Amino acid sequence: MAEATEATGLNQWIRGVLMRDLRGLKRELEAYPDEADMWKVMPGTTNSAGNLALHLVGNMRHFIGAQLGHSSYTRDRDGEFATKNMPRAELLKLIDMAIIGVDHTMPAVDEATLRSPYPQKIVEMTVTTADWLLHLIAHLGYHLGQIDYHRRIVTGQAGAPGVISVLELTTATR
């Protein structure tokens, strides 16, 4: 069960869901019995689970770590999709770096920042930081579901590794 936190602002709820889903991404990749299967592209699709995971890491590290947390991360979006056969251990370390970035950045994102325009235009549009962060949550969940189905199709595994557990939500109590 998630530890209850005294900080219950929107920034902490956003942080909690992002952290839960990034940890879930790790569990999803760890559930592949053969790490080579993470890099298979199935008929009718364009991306492997490994490339989707790299894309999610790039999103978090750029949009949260670099843009909001002012880290020195430079995104290589094309590389997220061009990389092939990265060892699982290396990919999990990159996810850990994204988790650290979210964990360090989100507590400093106050209510005024959430209401303010996000510091980067998104497809030539201005959106609030809160709106963009909520979009990033949906985007992460969307690709997490794709990775889950990819794993099930490639491996024949029917079960899910408890990726988006309600018990991991910031406010979850019994």
Side-chain angles (χ1 to χ4, degrees):
M1 182 182 317
E3 223 176 271
T5 177
E6 290 181 30
T8 57
L10 181 57
N11 65 333
Q12 288 303 305
W13 290 328
I14 292 170
R15 176 195 163 276
V17 172
L18 290 169
M19 297 288 283
R20 175 199 68 177
D21 290 357
L22 286 167
R23 288 188 304 264
L25 175 60
K26 287 181 69 171
R27 286 193 300 273
E28 193 67 64
L29 297 178
E30 289 165 341
Y32 282 83
D34 180 350
E35 70 182 71
D37 286 343
M38 296 184 316
W39 298 99
K40 291 182 178 175
V41 177
M42 301 308 294
T45 68
T46 55
N47 297 306
S48 69
N51 290 116
L52 290 172
L54 285 171
H55 174 60
L56 292 170
V57 165
N59 261 8
M60 294 296 113
R61 294 187 71 196
H62 173 76
F63 290 118
I64 295 177
Q67 294 298 311
L68 296 177
H70 309 291
S71 75
S72 61
Y73 177 75
T74 301
R75 188 174 189 187
D76 177 9
R77 190 176 189 282
D78 291 340
E80 296 164 15
F81 295 102
T83 299
K84 303 295 177 217
N85 301 315
M86 175 185 287
R88 179 179 9 223
E90 188 176 337
L91 185 50
L92 294 176
K93 284 180 187 175
L94 292 175
I95 297 168
D96 284 338
M97 293 172 77
I99 288 170
I100 290 167
V102 169
D103 194 36
H104 284 47
T105 300
M106 286 308 300
V109 177
D110 60 15
E111 296 296 320
T113 302
L114 290 170
R115 286 190 298 275
S116 298
Y118 183 75
Q120 174 185 339
K121 291 224 181 232
I122 308 298
V123 273
E124 304 304 318
M125 304 293 292
T126 299
V127 297
T128 65
T129 299
D131 204 14
W132 185 242
L133 290 170
L134 292 172
H135 171 83
L136 290 177
I137 288 171
H139 179 261
L140 176 55
Y142 175 77
H143 286 314
L144 203 49
Q146 289 179 318
I147 292 168
D148 181 67
Y149 260 60
H150 178 274
R151 180 187 50 78
R152 291 169 187 238
I153 291 167
V154 169
T155 68
Q157 295 174 332
V163 171
I164 55 170
S165 172
V166 172
L167 297 175
E168 290 184 71
L169 291 174
T170 305
T171 60
T173 60
R174 287 196 190 261

